[in-house]
């Protein structure tokens, strides 16, 4: 039975989310499901960046602020570990701001460029 509900959960977000109508719980469930989906399709680098931009379009800084910290950390770590640059957060830049900044980029930021 658990496998059936897990399958339904991931399929629930196949076509995105209506951000304006979503509850905090909806947003958290959506953001939590996306890294699993990205793993399933083995998305890395520019493919993963494209998916992130498409999946989180419409998200505002406030939407990211409403996510649980652990959900934001998981999303950030997944993006970074698979080749998508997400800026460091620190006392002057929150984790929400870092994820939002990545979402607002017009072109994918090169991880190699950021190391130089």
């Amino acid at each position: 039975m658990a496998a059936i509900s897990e399958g339904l959960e991931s399929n629930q977000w196949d076509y995105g989310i209506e951000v304006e109508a979503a509850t905090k719980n909806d947003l958290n469930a959506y953001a939590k499901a996306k890294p699993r989906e990205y793993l399933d399709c083995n998305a890395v680098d520019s493919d993963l960046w494209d998916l992130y931009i498409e999946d989180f379009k419409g998200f505002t800084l406030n939407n990211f602020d409403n996510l649980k910290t652990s959900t934001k950390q998981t999303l950030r770590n997944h993006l970074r570990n698979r080749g998508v640059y997400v800026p460091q957060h620190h006392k002057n830049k929150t984790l929400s701001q870092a994820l939002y900044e990545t979402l607002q980029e017009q072109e994918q930021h090169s991880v190699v460029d950021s190391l130089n």
Side-chain angles (χ1 to χ4, degrees):
M1 190 77 160
I4 292 172
S5 65
E6 285 176 18
L8 289 174
E9 180 182 318
S10 65
N11 290 340
Q12 179 180 4
W13 309 117
D14 281 352
Y15 299 100
I17 187 170
E18 289 186 40
V19 178
E20 301 81 25
T23 66
K24 282 185 182 182
N25 286 338
D26 291 338
L27 294 173
N28 271 286
Y30 181 79
K32 198 172 184 179
K34 286 303 169 177
R36 284 182 260 152
E37 181 182 312
Y38 301 154
L39 274 176
D40 288 347
C41 66
N42 198 29
V44 295
D45 300 323
S46 62
D47 288 341
L48 178 56
W49 184 75
D50 289 340
L51 288 171
Y52 175 69
I53 298 302
E54 179 67 24
D55 289 339
F56 287 88
K57 71 179 175 203
F59 265 60
T60 64
L61 181 57
N62 189 51
N63 294 134
F64 282 111
D65 282 340
N66 285 324
L67 298 178
K68 294 177 183 174
T69 300
S70 61
T71 301
K72 290 183 280 193
Q73 290 170 331
T74 299
L75 182 57
R76 178 213 45 212
N77 293 342
H78 183 82
L79 292 169
R80 280 187 179 165
N81 291 338
R82 298 186 65 86
V84 174
Y85 175 76
V86 178
Q88 291 287 336
H89 72 281
H90 44 74
K91 67 179 183 178
N92 294 323
K93 182 185 295 186
T94 66
L95 183 50
S96 295
Q97 289 170 321
L99 289 167
Y100 184 72
E101 245 181 59
T102 301
L103 184 63
Q104 297 305 307
E105 291 178 357
Q106 297 300 311
E107 293 183 17
Q108 183 182 9
H109 186 93
S110 171
V111 175
V112 174
D113 289 345
S114 66
L115 296 175
N116 295 327

